[in-house]
């Protein structure tokens, strides 16, 4: 699957364990987990390959604190008990978001994903 990052800073975070370790406050295990998740996304044929794996805890996001998160989803960086998430959005072959985004209908066709952020989404 192709990954598109919303910023160059985010791309570097997701592709460098040393940068990620600093980002996670020195927690190298989180940096390694982030690298593993990004690797899994890159090696997936389609988004469905990620959705069907329970350890990723793929879930749809809801609007929060004035943020419009329609069409965005998250996967856990490490585990469900850890607050860190990778926020992503499926894109069509023209690199545009699906509107509306019915993930069950499109998952096996999605081959491009936009990575929006890595954050403690639930704080």
């Amino acid at each position: 699957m192709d990954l598109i990052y919303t910023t160059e800073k985010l791309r570097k975070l997701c592709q460098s364990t040393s940068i990620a370790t600093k980002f996670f406050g020195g927690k190298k295990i989180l940096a390694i987990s982030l690298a593993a998740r990004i690797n899994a996304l890159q090696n997936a044929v389609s988004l469905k390959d990620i959705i069907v794996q329970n350890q990723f805890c793929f879930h749809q996001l809801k609007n929060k604190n004035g943020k419009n998160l329609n069409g965005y989803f998250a996967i856990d960086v490490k585990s469900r008990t850890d607050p860190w998430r990778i926020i992503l959005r499926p894109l069509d072959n023209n690199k545009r978001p699906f509107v509306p985004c019915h993930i069950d209908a499109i998952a096996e066709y999605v081959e491009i994903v936009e990575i929006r952020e890595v954050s403690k989404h639930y704080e």
Side-chain angles (χ1 to χ4, degrees):
M1 198 159 40
D2 291 332
L3 304 183
I4 296 174
Y5 298 92
T6 55
T7 67
E8 182 63 17
K9 183 178 178 181
L10 178 60
R11 184 192 65 74
K12 289 178 181 179
L13 169 67
C14 292
Q15 295 180 349
S16 169
T17 53
S18 63
I19 292 172
T21 300
K22 289 178 188 174
F23 177 80
F24 291 122
K27 295 180 181 177
K28 190 166 186 169
I29 189 71
L30 286 173
I32 292 168
S33 294
L34 175 61
R37 295 299 198 229
I38 294 300
N39 188 45
L41 285 165
Q42 289 172 330
N43 288 314
V45 173
S46 72
L47 190 55
K48 187 171 184 174
D49 294 341
I50 300 300
I51 292 171
V52 298
Q53 296 185 51
N54 291 335
Q55 71 268 26
F56 292 111
C57 297
F58 183 89
H59 58 281
Q60 186 170 4
L61 297 179
K62 297 179 181 172
N63 294 336
K64 178 183 171 191
N65 299 332
K67 285 186 180 178
N68 180 0
L69 298 171
N70 291 333
Y72 284 93
F73 299 84
I75 61 173
D76 295 337
V77 167
K78 185 172 175 258
S79 69
R80 199 73 197 133
T81 59
D82 192 84
W84 291 97
R85 308 284 179 261
I86 300 169
I87 311 303
L88 55 88
R89 174 169 59 173
L91 301 177
D92 65 20
N93 289 337
N94 295 315
K95 299 180 182 175
R96 290 186 294 229
F98 290 89
V99 180
C101 185
H102 300 291
I103 199 66
D104 293 334
I106 64 170
E108 67 184 294
Y109 306 107
V110 174
E111 297 175 350
I112 305 170
V113 172
E114 175 190 83
I115 306 294
R116 175 180 173 162
E117 65 185 60
V118 175
S119 63
K120 287 184 177 181
H121 184 69
Y122 295 109
E123 287 188 347

